Amino acid sequence: MQKPTLPKGTRDFGPEQMRNRLFIFDTIRHTFKRFGFQPLETPSMENLSTLTGKYGDEGDQLLYKILNSGDYAAGLTELDLASGSKKLTPSIAEKGLRYDLTVPFARYVVMNRNNLPMPFKRYQMQPVWRADRPQKGRYREFYQCDADVVGTDSLLCEAEIVLMIDDVFRNLGIDYTLKVNNRKILAGIAEVIGVPGQEATLSVAIDKLDKIGRDKVQDELRERGFSDETLTKLSPLFAFSELPLDQVLVQLTTWLGASETARIGIAELQEMIQLVGQYGLADAPIEFDPTLARGLSYYTGAIFEVKARGVSIGSISGGGRYDNLTGTFGMPGLSGVGISFGVDRIYDVMEELKLFPAGVGQGTQVLLIPFDLEARSVALPLLSQLRESGVAAEVYPDLTKVKKMMDYANAKAIPYVVLIGSEEVQTGLLSVKNMVTGEQTKMTADAVLSLLTL
C-alpha cells in the first residue's frame, strides 16, 4: 500500500488553519477595497514566453515548467537530449506555473488596455509557484495578495502603498519595519563606483547582504568582474544601517551627488515620506536601506520590503515601482507601482507570536442532538430557522449514543448544544447546554433562536 505524501514545499491547511488564514485574507481584502482596488484573477499557468526574462536569470531558473500534452517527445533526437535544458525546454514545454502575480497582471493590462479606466487599480489574491529550496518561511507553493495601480507615475501611489502596509499590519497586530529604497539610487551607486549600467548585477549580489554578509557579497561581485578599486568605492554603502533616516539621505546626497539619476531617486524618496506625513502617518516605522534590491529586474523606482519584528522570518511583504513592465508586451510608457503580501509568512509570524484572536472564524455555533425520529421532526424546523437567521448550525446526522454526539461537539469546539428527547418533544422546552460553562437550561425554540442571534 502506498503511503500518502505531499510534495516538498507544499502544505495542507485544516479547518483551524483555514479559519486563521481567512482572517488574514479578509483583513488584507478589506484594506484593498477601502483604498479603491478592484478584484482580478488570472490563470495558474502562463505561456513561458510571458514569464521568462522578467525576473532575472535566478528567477527564470525557479520557474515551474509544464510538459506539453500528447507525444511531445516523439520527435526528439539524442542530440536534442544532449543539448542541455535551455535548448531542450522549448521543444517539450510551452507553459509554466506563474511565478508571481505582477507579470500576469501586466499581460492582462496590455491585452485589455482599451477597456480599462486609467489609472487602473486591481487587487489579486492567488497562489504562485517557485522551484525554490524549501526552508522555514519559504515554500514552493504559496499565496500572494497583490495590489497594483498602473497608468500614473504620481508618488501619491507610493505613499498610499505605505498607508496600506500600515493599515494591514496594524489590523493584524504585527509590529513591523518597512524598509525602502529606490532603484535609481542603486543605478547612481553603479555610476559613482565606476560600473555604470551594471546596477542589475550589483543588485543581485547586495540583495543577499542580510543572508550571506558583506564579505561574501564582495566575493560574489569579484566573481562577476568587479575590481578591488570598485569595491573600495562601494564601501560607504555598508555604513548606513545604524543612522536615522534624515541623516542617511544627507549622507547619500553627499556620496552620490555626482549622479543625476541618484539625485532623482533621493528626491523621490523624500517626497514620498513627506506625502505619508501629510496623510497623517508621521510615525510610520520606515527605514531607508540602500542595500535593498529585491532581486527582481523589473523595478525602476521605489522598492519596499516589510519585516516583522521579534521573529526570524524573511520579508512578509514587498513591492515597488516599475515603469517598463508592460513595454515587454508591446505597450511602453505605462508606469505602475504595487505591493504584495505573503500570506504564508504572515501566518507563520502570527502563529509564532500568538497573534490570532481567540475563536477567530468560529464555525458551527450550535449542534442539535435529536434522540429519536420524533425528536428529529422538532430539530429540523429549528435548524432551518437558525440558519435563516444567520446562525451557523448543524444537526448530528445519526441517531446514536448521546456521549458520542457530545464528543463531536467538543471536538469541533461548538459552544452550544440543544438536546431534544421525548420529554422535550412533549413539553416544547428544549435542553440547551453551554459547552463552555457547562450550564444547562430549558427554553422554547423561540428562546433558543433569540439566545443565538443576540
Side-chain angles (χ1 to χ4, degrees):
M1 184 182 293
Q2 184 180 355
K3 183 181 177 182
T5 59
L6 277 173
K8 286 184 178 178
T10 67
R11 297 174 292 174
D12 286 323
F13 299 104
E16 184 178 349
Q17 291 167 306
M18 278 309 302
R19 285 198 293 269
N20 289 338
R21 283 171 66 82
L22 289 172
F23 173 72
I24 297 171
F25 282 123
D26 291 345
T27 301
I28 295 171
R29 185 182 290 108
H30 183 63
T31 294
F32 287 166
K33 290 170 72 174
R34 286 193 300 110
F35 277 72
F37 290 80
Q38 300 180 82
L40 177 72
E41 285 197 352
T42 59
S44 298
M45 68 181 81
E46 294 277 351
N47 292 321
L48 281 176
S49 57
T50 297
L51 299 173
T52 50
K54 312 301 189 304
Y55 308 107
D57 290 340
E58 292 191 11
D60 282 352
Q61 291 170 21
L62 299 180
L63 290 173
Y64 271 114
K65 300 165 184 69
I66 300 171
L67 290 177
N68 295 339
S69 56
D71 196 9
Y72 61 86
L76 296 178
T77 65
E78 286 191 19
L79 189 63
D80 292 327
L81 295 172
S83 65
S85 60
K86 282 195 174 179
K87 290 185 178 178
L88 182 62
T89 296
S91 303
I92 63 174
E94 297 167 353
K95 296 176 286 294
L97 295 177
R98 60 169 173 254
Y99 179 92
D100 72 353
L101 300 177
T102 308
V103 169
F105 170 57
R107 189 261 314 146
Y108 173 86
V109 169
V110 173
M111 290 180 68
N112 296 276
R113 57 186 176 274
N114 295 325
N115 303 316
L116 298 177
M118 290 292 174
F120 179 56
K121 302 171 74 172
R122 84 83 173 85
Y123 74 86
Q124 199 168 341
M125 307 172 78
Q126 290 184 277
V128 299
W129 294 268
R130 297 183 186 180
D132 213 341
R133 185 169 64 87
Q135 53 188 287
K136 183 178 181 181
R138 189 183 292 272
Y139 305 99
R140 288 174 172 167
E141 179 188 60
F142 55 97
Y143 264 80
Q144 286 185 340
C145 298
D146 282 19
D148 289 78
V149 52
V150 294
T152 172
D153 55 9
S154 169
L155 289 171
L156 269 177
C157 299
E158 275 84 339
E160 293 226 315
I161 294 279
V162 176
L163 263 68
M164 285 200 297
I165 288 169
D166 184 74
D167 194 68
V168 165
F169 290 117
R170 194 162 27 82
N171 288 323
L172 291 174
I174 294 176
D175 193 16
Y176 74 95
T177 298
L178 170 58
K179 296 190 173 189
V180 297
N181 195 7
N182 192 296
R183 204 66 183 237
K184 295 182 180 71
I185 294 174
L186 289 166
I189 291 171
E191 289 177 18
V192 166
I193 66 173
V195 286
Q198 293 195 46
E199 61 269 16
T201 304
L202 179 66
S203 298
V204 168
I206 65 173
D207 195 33
K208 302 173 185 173
L209 182 66
D210 60 343
K211 301 183 187 75
I212 64 176
R214 176 177 175 175
D215 291 343
K216 289 188 177 178
V217 165
Q218 290 180 319
D219 289 343
E220 184 171 323
L221 287 169
R222 283 191 189 95
E223 289 173 11
R224 292 171 179 265
F226 283 56
S227 67
D228 287 340
E229 181 186 355
T230 298
L231 294 177
T232 300
K233 291 179 181 177
L234 185 62
S235 57
L237 178 77
F238 305 105
F240 292 113
S241 58
E242 303 301 322
L243 295 175
L245 184 58
D246 54 348
Q247 290 184 34
V248 169
L249 293 175
V250 169
Q251 291 205 14
L252 268 180
T253 304
T254 303
W255 178 36
L256 304 176
S259 166
E260 184 183 354
T261 305
R263 291 200 304 272
I264 293 170
I266 294 167
E268 286 181 1
L269 263 178
Q270 288 172 322
E271 184 179 342
M272 181 191 78
I273 292 164
Q274 183 183 9
L275 288 168
V276 169
Q278 289 177 7
Y279 270 107
L281 191 63
D283 58 347
I286 300 173
E287 286 183 8
F288 175 70
D289 183 355
T291 67
L292 179 63
R294 288 199 58 77
L296 294 180
S297 58
Y298 53 65
Y299 290 128
T300 56
I303 310 169
F304 305 99
E305 188 166 275
V306 179
K307 296 282 181 76
R309 295 176 184 167
V311 290
S312 57
I313 289 174
S315 66
I316 55 176
S317 180
R321 164 73 63 176
Y322 44 88
D323 288 339
N324 307 322
L325 194 61
T326 54
T328 63
F329 299 119
M331 190 180 177
L334 191 68
S335 185
V337 63
I339 190 69
S340 179
F341 292 91
V343 168
D344 299 85
R345 287 191 179 179
I346 291 172
Y347 182 99
D348 290 346
V349 167
M350 294 186 69
E351 190 173 54
E352 188 171 329
L353 298 178
K354 296 179 170 53
L355 295 176
F356 287 110
V360 64
Q362 172 64 45
T364 304
Q365 293 174 262
V366 59
L367 173 68
L368 306 189
I369 296 181
F371 292 179
D372 52 34
L373 288 174
E374 192 178 8
R376 186 181 280 174
S377 69
V378 173
L380 296 185
L382 175 58
L383 184 67
S384 293
Q385 282 183 291
L386 286 163
R387 288 172 175 167
E388 285 170 12
S389 300
V391 178
E394 58 181 297
V395 63
Y396 197 86
D398 301 314
L399 299 175
T400 184
K401 293 179 180 178
V402 174
K403 183 182 183 305
K404 185 176 180 181
M405 296 189 274
M406 298 294 278
D407 287 345
Y408 174 81
N410 280 321
K412 290 189 69 174
I414 298 172
Y416 288 97
V417 163
V418 177
L419 301 149
I420 309 172
S422 56
E423 182 186 337
E424 283 78 11
V425 172
Q426 289 171 8
T427 64
L429 293 174
L430 312 180
S431 297
V432 180
K433 183 168 184 177
N434 184 319
M435 298 296 283
V436 179
T437 65
E439 182 184 356
Q440 188 166 318
T441 54
K442 297 268 190 180
M443 57 180 71
T444 64
D446 287 342
V448 171
L449 201 62
S450 298
L451 171 70
L452 293 167
T453 53
L454 285 176

